[in-house]
């Protein structure tokens, strides 16, 4: 089913990540991790052919997929840069 999920967004009826509001209230958080958590928590609802606006399981699937894709991008970039040396 994971391969059929194409979009992660807010839960149905919700709008925006809330990051802009949190950024303005900078006295309410200590570091940038709070902004990242706000973003991934609000946009963890999956949309696809079999699922529409559902939070799947106990894991934030959007955050885990974002993390995996960032690791692959970074590793690919490092390997490319190493080949130029």
């Amino acid at each position: 089913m994971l391969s059929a999920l194409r979009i992660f967004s807010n839960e149905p009826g919700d709008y925006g990540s809330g990051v802009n509001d949190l950024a303005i209230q900078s006295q309410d958080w200590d570091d940038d991790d709070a902004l990242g958590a706000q973003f991934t928590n609000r946009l963890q609802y999956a949309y696809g052919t079999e699922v529409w606006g559902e939070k799947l399981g106990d894991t934030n699937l959007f955050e885990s997929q974002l993390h995996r894709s960032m690791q692959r991008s970074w590793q690919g970039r490092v390997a490319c840069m190493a080949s130029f040396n």
Side-chain angles (χ1 to χ4, degrees):
M1 177 166 76
L2 180 59
S3 63
L5 302 177
R6 296 291 180 236
I7 298 172
F8 290 93
S9 189
N10 300 76
E11 75 179 303
D14 192 19
Y15 178 77
S17 67
V19 171
N20 56 337
D21 295 330
L22 190 58
I24 291 169
Q25 299 169 349
S26 60
Q27 73 277 4
D28 293 341
W29 47 273
D30 295 324
D31 59 31
D32 295 345
D33 290 344
L35 298 175
Q38 174 74 13
F39 181 77
T40 57
N41 286 336
R42 290 290 294 268
L43 301 177
Q44 66 177 311
Y45 296 86
Y47 293 83
T49 56
E50 298 175 19
V51 174
W52 195 257
E54 294 180 27
K55 181 179 171 187
L56 304 174
D58 295 332
T59 303
N60 185 327
L61 190 57
F62 172 58
E63 185 175 47
S64 66
Q65 293 303 307
L66 186 61
H67 180 72
R68 285 181 56 207
S69 68
M70 291 301 291
Q71 282 183 321
R72 284 192 297 257
S73 297
W74 174 250
Q75 289 170 350
R77 186 72 134 184
V78 169
C80 182
M81 290 171 60
S83 68
F84 287 121
N85 292 333

